[in-house]
Amino acid sequence: MPTETFEFRVEARQLLQLMIHSIYSNKDVFLRELVSNASDALDKLRLAALRDDTLDADVSDLHIDIEADGEARTLTVRDNGIGMSYDEVAELIGTIANSGTAKFLEQLRQADEAADAEGLIGQFGVGFYSSFMVADEVTLVTRRAGETQGTRWSSRGEGTYTLETADEAPQGTTITLHLKPADPENQLHDYTSPWKLREIVKRYSDFITWPIRMAPQAPAGDDGDGAAAREPETLNSMKALWARSRDEVKDEEYHELYKHISHDWQDPLETIRLQAEGTFEYQALLFIPSHAPHDLFTQGYKRGVQLYVKRVFIMDDCEALLPPYLRFVKGVVDAQDLSLNVSREILQQDRHIQMMHRRLAKKVLSSVKGMMTAAPDRYATLWREFGPVLKEGLVTDSENRDALLAVSSFATTHDAAEPTTLQQYVERMKDGQEAVYYMTGDSRESIENSPHMEAFRDRGIEVLLLTDPVDEVWTDTVAEFDGKPLRSVAKGELALDGDDEDKPAEDREKRNEEYAELLTWMKEQLGEDIKEVRLSSRLTVSPACLVSDTNDLTPALENLYRAMGQDVPRAQRILELNPDHTLVKGLNRALRDRADRAALAEDAELLHGLAVLAEGGRPKEPARFTQLLAERLERAL
């Protein structure tokens, strides 16, 4: 058959130019595409040989060859796979972006063998044309397994291609690239360089099932006999640990893979395996590091796991597969098929991505829960290093909120050294206690010394001590645990068990009447600085404290939102007075006995300032507060 010249269709020419100049951000991926196509061809031949005993094809040594010629500026990628007939080349290669996968799969379905073969079928489509990013001319020679005549396809990527028969064609497909001159400034490397080829294969195709071999180059002036005498070098490890059973892999191998993909020098804290089967198959090998990286909370932190599709590397930090609060997890996810864009560099949003996202998150959380009982020391390390990150999920992931609460632990007044889980807290609750009490603050010491803790300390009621910035946010989101409401000791009115017994109803009414005038007067004096003045049931030692209303934001949460650029109104606080404190009693008595109350207004201002300082705040006018305090001290002396 004579050589025939054809023109690409109009849309094919346009797509070809896009392929060469725009679609791929990294020119190195052309070799990934060619190797991936070659691997698919080998998979298809193995399947065809199993289905057809009469197929005249050599399957004894299926492999991929890479051969570079620095003098001729050519790069050849060769496989001994299924190959293509003349008509298939005309249809699949001549019409860009047309893949034989759909038709091949349909034929297998008709043969009732699709279930066994679906995972082996790849695509020979637009990826082939990425070769024109690095080559001025591409030649393809192929012969379908079982046939005697081959086909040669050639094009310069400028709108036309040629087709002819090839009598001396080996089984499989050979693609020869006539490379463009190297241009490092435009990321066009010397793709005849052995070290560059090793680098690309190691990065993108290290776990391909079939051996990828590179023929040794002959030194300058050598006639080639010396190179022929040397054994070809196998470039890929073929060790996809996630595809092997757990019994076949040593922990050291897992650790080595973790260090390779995470650039960490320590062993991982936990290794998590997942294999999903059914209509959509994928495998995952995830690692929980043993320490938090220094940039975990910085904006530029790269999160996500490595994504492979049928052992071909697609991207390094695939954010779509894990939620942000699991950004410290490293690992590999290998899917049988995914909706990638034409360059295979960007994931399309589809239900498969969402399925993997949900399943992987649940798997990590279940593994953490398992560590709590099976390996408490490792769990303690995990929570110390990554607890603040995991608690972000209490705000953002309502679907897994219960699972996150179950694996969370917190500092508590019950034990100065050991944190507690919410379940343990509930089991220790006193008879009659209806809520899980907590308080947020900058440190354990500041919370324990807070006036809000006095009544709880006296009654021996356990309080969670929350000191991470994220605690201000999630406690405002999570309403309860195991049917028990979560309640801040610094918000709302508290009616602790024992209040009614300690203060009979008539005594409480008498006390309220006794201080009614003081409460009204102080509200008038402090004006807009406070929402309300009332008597406190939470104070036993301090004269006063400030609390937030039940549904109001705390000052710390207000500041956090403002730091994030959100303009939130400042909430008015409630001033609570301790009616049993000498200072409050004296102020109430002075208010009743003195006709001139002007001097008492400064005492009210001082009492409010003391409450602000007690919770770590700053008086509205620090200089005035200091002056008033100095004057009172001077009088006392």
Side-chain angles (χ1 to χ4, degrees), residues 25 119 124 183 315 355 390 468 470 499 532 542 545:
S25 59
F124 198 109
D183 186 3
M315 65 179 70
M355 286 168 52
L390 282 167
D468 293 321
V470 69
D499 284 350
E532 179 187 351
S542 302
C545 71

Side-chain angles (χ1 to χ4, degrees), residues 412 420-429 433 435-438 461-464:
T412 173
T420 188
T421 65
L422 291 177
Q423 186 61 46
Q424 291 170 335
Y425 180 101
V426 170
E427 292 170 357
R428 289 195 297 263
M429 286 173 59
Q433 181 180 340
V436 176
Y437 292 105
Y438 69 88
I461 298 176
E462 184 176 358
V463 179
L464 303 178

Side-chain angles (χ1 to χ4, degrees), residues 13 97 111 114 129 138 265 273 320 335 354 366 415 477 533 594 620:
R13 288 200 300 269
Y129 285 87
V138 177
W265 56 276
R273 289 175 52 93
Q354 297 167 7
S366 68
D415 193 313
T477 304
V533 182
R594 295 185 192 178
K620 185 169 65 174

Side-chain angles (χ1 to χ4, degrees), residues 410-579:
F410 311 94
T412 173
T413 55
H414 175 75
D415 193 313
E418 293 295 326
T420 188
T421 65
L422 291 177
Q423 186 61 46
Q424 291 170 335
Y425 180 101
V426 170
E427 292 170 357
R428 289 195 297 263
M429 286 173 59
K430 290 181 173 295
D431 293 338
Q433 181 180 340
E434 298 180 352
V436 176
Y437 292 105
Y438 69 88
M439 184 173 178
T440 59
D442 294 332
S443 66
R444 182 188 183 103
E445 183 180 9
S446 66
I447 296 176
E448 289 182 326
N449 294 327
S450 170
H452 302 95
M453 296 286 292
E454 293 174 359
F456 293 87
R457 186 164 48 245
D458 284 356
R459 286 173 169 80
I461 298 176
E462 184 176 358
V463 179
L464 303 178
L465 310 176
L466 310 180
T467 57
D468 293 321
V470 69
D471 293 328
E472 294 284 354
V473 184
W474 77 260
T475 52
D476 200 53
T477 304
V478 179
E480 64 176 32
F481 172 78
D482 196 24
K484 305 291 184 181
L486 270 66
R487 187 169 299 167
S488 171
V489 304
K491 293 182 73 172
E493 289 193 79
L494 290 179
L496 298 178
D497 182 44
D499 284 350
D500 292 340
E501 292 81 359
D502 295 343
K503 299 283 191 304
E506 56 184 26
D507 290 348
R508 293 199 307 274
E509 291 179 6
K510 183 178 179 181
R511 188 187 63 180
N512 290 336
E513 292 177 2
E514 181 183 357
Y515 285 93
E517 185 179 5
L518 175 65
L519 301 180
T520 302
W521 175 80
M522 286 195 67
K523 175 65 178 79
E524 294 173 353
Q525 296 302 312
L526 297 175
E528 296 182 356
D529 289 342
I530 58 171
K531 177 187 287 188
E532 179 187 351
V533 182
R534 67 190 182 203
L535 297 181
S536 177
S537 62
R538 72 187 87 213
L539 296 175
T540 61
V541 178
S542 302
C545 71
L546 286 169
V547 300
S548 299
D549 214 347
T550 304
N551 297 317
D552 285 349
L553 299 179
T554 63
L557 192 54
E558 287 181 19
N559 295 333
L560 185 61
Y561 282 137
R562 290 192 183 95
M564 296 165 58
Q566 300 185 31
D567 187 17
V568 294
R570 189 171 295 280
Q572 289 181 309
R573 310 293 301 289
I574 298 171
L575 178 64
E576 289 192 351
L577 303 181
N578 181 1

Side-chain angles (χ1 to χ4, degrees), residues 605-634:
E605 189 176 344
L606 276 173
L607 191 58
H608 176 256
L610 290 173
V612 173
L613 288 173
E615 67 172 7
R618 177 181 177 183
K620 185 169 65 174
E621 298 182 43
R624 173 174 170 78
F625 177 82
T626 304
Q627 181 183 357
L628 291 176
L629 185 60
E631 291 175 356
R632 292 299 184 277
L633 290 173
E634 185 179 353

